[in-house]
């Protein structure tokens, strides 16, 4: 039986100003399958505009090893478009990042007729008014020419995403997701009311031993991009500690990808952390929070490490397919302070200072004694308590808001009934030096957002560091675990490491010994 067709006209507007705004759309047919309008390959992207409907086929060749990924959403470049749809019962989801309430509309498209759907997206919260700006710290989108920048910038505008750290990487010795420019100079795009920054960065990888790390805010590629036999280089050298130094030499920030939870069982994260080479640990990604693996333990060793979130797009779409959320699902909010306009250097600087929270939807504000994430508070001998404020707000229902002290839940507000806002104001006893952070969780079912699997909601702030007198932050069990882990690494790397010279091997083991000594010193206090 031949398919009968209708025409759908969609207009997405700001609920207050009524101005058109870019957005993401997702359409399901009556049988539960996804529908995407046909793509016109001749359509162009540039400073003069883009197709009304941006489809996966417009940028599939930019997705390198993930070109087969099942992306089920489209993006409206201006917020308004008309396109053919099957004449049947359809459901349309419209969304724009984490600060707007997503809208779902079910309708019957009649053959030979035009259906008009006007959507007004209401704000959940205006984070930029409080100087919080979001970015996706983990993206791999090939940029061969200037038009590729515009494709990515238009996608970012539709996701309400001001910045991306768009990273080159290597697989099997081949450079993937090449960046025609590194850093952010000359890659600022003013689209409609929005300002998008496409910044070239790098994921330096070793699938044999060390894991993956992130370099953001750099101005040139750090060679050789990857090490180890699995990624096309015989030796496991240079070391990640050296890559961190080279990142800092360029004014960038260095962090660990995937929370050291997704590549190998013997990643070297605790070594680089003990050597004070790292600025952050990526801990929200792939529909989960992975900070339990190492981030909490390292904070409990007195180390200062910010939290970040990054989607790993398009790998995230590949792993989570056939979900439809993709670019910018996991992101890092940074408080850049009072400024007239968003600047990428300020964003990177905020990560360096720990003024962050990571999220895959909830928005999370947090203070201890009136100071936000990244701050240090010193208590005198008389102070026995601290005042804590946290507020979580989300377009989806939330389960609970937790106050974390040295990795343990010290206070919890239960979100009975699935509220979209939870507030906590409390005073906590603090008998020892501690790091304090806020964490919020939730869970939504597939029909709420058009996907095929539950969506686990997470947000987590970077800590506020509270010191009592001269006492350091220390949980001895975690220092013991890290010391033992480094000793295990020594045995694994001794047998599995591959080096061209004895000097390379000696440099690695000198770092391992320094890291072991760091954790052992903590245990002698």
């Amino acid at each position: 039986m031949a398919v009968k067709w209708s025409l759908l006209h969609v207009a997405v507007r700001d609920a207050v100003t009524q101005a058109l705004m870019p957005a993401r759309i997702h359409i399901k047919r009556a049988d539960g399958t996804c529908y995407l309008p046909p793509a016109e390959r001749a359509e162009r992207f540039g400073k003069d505009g883009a197709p009304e409907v941006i489809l996966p086929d417009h940028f599939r060749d930019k997705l390198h090893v993930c070109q087969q990924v099942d992306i089920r959403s489209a993006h409206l470049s201006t917020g308004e478009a008309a396109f053919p749809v099957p004449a049947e019962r359809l459901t349309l989801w419209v969304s724009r990042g984490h600060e707007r309430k997503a809208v779902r509309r079910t309708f019957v498209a009649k053959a030979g007729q035009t259906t008009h759907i006007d959507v007004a997206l209401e704000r959940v919260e205006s984070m930029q008014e409080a100087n919080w700006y979001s970015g996706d710290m983990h993206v791999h989108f090939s940029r061969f020419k200037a038009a590729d920048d515009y494709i990515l910038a238009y996608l970012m505008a539709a996701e309400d995403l001001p910045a991306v750290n768009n990273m080159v990487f290597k697989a099997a010795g081949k450079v993937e997701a090449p960046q025609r420019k590194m850093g952010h100079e000359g890659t600022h795009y003013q689209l409609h009311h929005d300002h998008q920054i496409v910044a070239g960065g790098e994921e330096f990888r070793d699938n044999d031993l060390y894991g993956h790390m992130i370099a953001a805010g750099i101005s040139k590629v750090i060679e050789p991009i990857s090490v180890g036999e699995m990624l096309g280089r015989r030796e496991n050298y240079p070391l990640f500690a050296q890559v961190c130094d080279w990142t800092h030499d360029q004014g960038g920030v260095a962090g660990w990808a995937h929370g050291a939870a997704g590549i190998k069982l013997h990643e070297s994260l605790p070594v680089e952390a003990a050597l004070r080479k790292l600025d952050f640990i990526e801990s929200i990604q792939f529909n989960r929070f992975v900070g339990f693996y190492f981030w909490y333990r390292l904070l409990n060793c007195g180390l200062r490490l910010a939290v970040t979130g990054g989607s790993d797009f398009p790998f995230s779409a590949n792993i989570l397919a056939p979900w439809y959320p993709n670019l910018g699902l996991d992101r890092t909010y940074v408080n850049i302070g009072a400024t007239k306009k968003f600047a990428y250097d300020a964003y990177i600087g905020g990560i360096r200072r720990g003024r962050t929270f990571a999220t895959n939807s909830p928005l999370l504000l947090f203070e201890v004694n009136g100071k936000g994430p990244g701050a240090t508070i010193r208590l005198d001998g008389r102070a026995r308590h601290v005042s804590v404020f946290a507020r979580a707000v989300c377009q989806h229902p939330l389960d609970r808001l937790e106050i974390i002290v040295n990795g343990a839940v010290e206070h919890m507000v239960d979100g009975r009934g699935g509220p979209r806002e939870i507030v906590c104001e409390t005073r906590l006893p603090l008998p020892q030096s501690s790091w304090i952070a806020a964490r919020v969780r939730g869970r939504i079912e597939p029909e709420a957002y058009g996907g095929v699997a539950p969506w686990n909601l997470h947000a987590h702030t970077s800590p506020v560091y509270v010191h009592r007198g001269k006492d350091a932050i220390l949980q001895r069990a975690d220092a013991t675990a890290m010391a033992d882990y480094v000793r295990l690494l020594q045995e694994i790397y001794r047998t599995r490491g591959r080096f061209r010279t004895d000097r390379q091997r000696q440099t690695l083991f000198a770092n391992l010994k320094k890291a072991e000594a760091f954790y052992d010193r903590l245990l002698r206090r």
Side-chain angles (χ1 to χ4, degrees):
M1 182 177 175
V3 175
K4 295 182 178 180
W5 293 94
S6 176
L7 191 68
L8 176 62
H9 174 266
V10 180
V12 183
R13 302 180 186 275
D14 182 288
V16 175
T17 68
Q18 294 301 303
L20 288 169
M21 58 186 351
R24 182 208 302 155
I25 62 170
H26 176 65
I27 300 173
K28 269 191 177 179
R29 302 182 66 172
D31 62 3
T33 59
C34 168
Y35 173 75
L36 287 170
E40 294 292 338
R41 291 298 300 169
E43 293 174 313
R44 298 182 180 278
F45 293 79
K47 62 181 180 180
D48 296 326
E52 290 182 344
V53 183
I54 304 172
L55 295 154
D57 282 349
H58 285 131
F59 54 86
R60 196 169 295 281
D61 61 338
K62 312 300 184 292
L63 305 185
H64 40 84
V65 298
C66 295
Q67 291 191 26
Q68 82 293 346
V69 69
D70 184 10
I71 298 176
R72 300 189 173 191
S73 58
H75 294 80
L76 305 184
S77 63
T78 66
E80 185 173 24
F83 48 87
V85 295
E88 60 181 72
R89 182 182 178 88
L90 300 169
T91 301
L92 168 72
W93 283 265
V94 180
S95 62
R96 189 171 193 262
H98 298 335
E99 298 178 34
R100 300 275 177 173
K101 294 180 182 178
V103 171
R104 177 176 62 179
R105 297 281 178 84
T106 299
F107 60 97
V108 176
K110 296 182 179 179
Q113 298 185 22
T114 299
T115 300
H116 297 274
I117 294 183
D118 291 329
V119 173
L121 294 183
E122 299 178 4
R123 273 207 177 273
V124 175
E125 192 81 3
S126 180
M127 297 300 290
Q128 292 184 13
E129 290 182 3
N131 302 316
W132 288 94
Y133 286 77
S134 71
D136 190 335
M137 282 290 289
H138 197 141
V139 176
H140 301 289
F141 190 94
S142 299
R143 296 159 60 213
F144 302 103
K145 54 187 184 299
D148 300 338
D149 286 14
Y150 278 101
I151 297 174
L152 183 52
Y154 276 104
L155 293 174
M156 292 164 62
E159 298 289 352
D160 192 20
L161 187 64
V164 295
N165 179 40
N166 193 35
M167 297 187 289
V168 63
F169 71 101
K170 264 186 181 178
K174 180 184 176 183
V175 173
E176 302 286 1
Q179 302 299 301
R180 70 182 192 90
K181 288 186 178 181
M182 295 298 290
H184 63 94
E185 295 300 325
T187 58
H188 294 229
Y189 301 93
Q190 191 74 35
L191 305 177
H192 304 281
H193 334 288
D194 300 310
H195 185 190
Q196 273 67 47
I197 298 175
V198 178
E202 181 174 341
E203 184 173 13
F204 200 97
R205 311 197 307 164
D206 181 348
N207 282 5
D208 296 307
L209 293 184
Y210 310 136
H212 295 183
M213 63 159 287
I214 294 169
I218 58 175
S219 56
K220 60 182 181 180
V221 171
I222 298 172
E223 296 291 356
I225 304 177
S226 293
V227 296
E229 288 183 299
M230 290 182 65
L231 296 177
R233 185 178 176 89
R234 183 180 182 278
E235 67 268 21
N236 303 105
Y237 197 89
L239 308 178
F240 280 20
Q242 295 166 308
V243 178
C244 292
D245 287 341
W246 299 333
T247 300
H248 293 142
D249 289 345
Q250 295 188 43
V253 289
W256 214 266
H258 318 301
I263 306 302
K264 287 293 179 185
L265 295 177
H266 39 260
E267 298 192 25
S268 67
L269 166 57
V271 178
E272 279 72 26
L275 298 176
R276 311 288 181 135
K277 302 294 186 181
L278 297 174
D279 302 292
F280 64 90
I281 298 180
E282 184 177 68
S283 297
I284 290 183
Q285 191 175 71
F286 302 150
N287 199 20
R288 58 186 181 148
F289 170 71
V290 295
F292 303 113
Y293 289 83
F294 285 101
W295 185 47
Y296 279 12
R297 290 183 180 273
L298 295 169
L299 292 173
N300 283 342
C301 293
L303 296 166
R304 296 175 64 106
L305 294 160
V307 67
T308 66
S311 69
D312 202 358
F313 177 79
F315 288 96
S316 55
N318 204 22
I319 291 171
L320 297 175
W323 275 40
Y324 82 86
N326 42 60
L327 175 70
L329 172 63
D330 311 292
R331 59 180 71 183
T332 304
Y333 273 84
V334 176
N335 191 313
I336 65 172
T339 182
K340 292 183 179 180
K341 66 178 183 178
F342 177 58
Y344 192 68
D345 289 341
Y347 183 82
I348 292 297
I351 294 174
R352 185 181 294 111
R353 292 188 291 274
R355 303 174 68 176
T356 73
F357 72 86
T359 184
N360 68 356
S361 188
L363 307 170
L364 185 54
L365 300 175
F366 173 66
E367 291 181 347
V368 177
N369 286 1
K371 296 185 180 296
T376 298
I377 297 173
R378 299 197 178 276
L379 301 179
D380 61 30
R382 295 169 295 176
R384 291 288 180 264
H385 294 77
V386 292
S387 298
V388 174
F389 169 81
R391 175 174 172 263
V393 60
C394 187
Q395 59 180 300
H396 305 294
L398 299 171
D399 289 341
R400 59 190 180 275
L401 174 61
E402 300 165 326
I403 305 301
I404 311 298
V405 179
N406 293 341
V409 178
E410 289 296 325
H411 187 80
M412 189 265 287
V413 179
D414 193 341
R416 291 186 177 88
R420 286 169 169 77
E421 181 177 0
I422 306 178
V423 176
C424 168
E425 292 188 75
T426 189
R427 281 173 56 79
L428 292 179
L430 210 67
Q432 61 181 330
S433 294
S434 303
W435 62 268
I436 309 175
R439 182 175 74 199
V440 66
R441 304 183 188 205
R443 180 181 171 92
I444 59 174
E445 297 305 314
E447 57 271 16
Y449 73 98
V452 297
W455 180 356
N456 298 313
L457 304 176
H458 302 279
H460 205 303
T461 71
S462 287
V464 173
Y465 304 90
V466 184
H467 292 268
R468 295 189 58 83
K470 296 182 179 180
D471 291 344
I473 297 171
L474 176 62
Q475 297 294 303
R476 299 181 68 84
D478 292 305
T480 300
M482 293 296 92
D484 287 346
Y485 181 87
V486 172
R487 283 188 276 270
L488 175 63
L489 288 184
Q490 293 180 45
E491 297 308 311
I492 293 173
Y493 292 178
R494 195 182 313 279
T495 58
R496 300 186 187 181
R498 298 292 180 266
F499 303 96
R500 285 191 298 109
T501 67
D502 287 341
R503 185 178 181 82
Q504 291 180 351
R505 184 184 300 274
Q506 290 164 4
T507 302
L508 168 63
F509 279 88
N511 284 351
L512 288 164
K513 286 297 183 182
K514 289 176 184 176
E516 180 185 9
F518 169 80
Y519 296 113
D520 282 342
R521 280 196 303 272
L522 296 180
L523 295 171
R524 291 196 295 271
R525 288 179 178 173

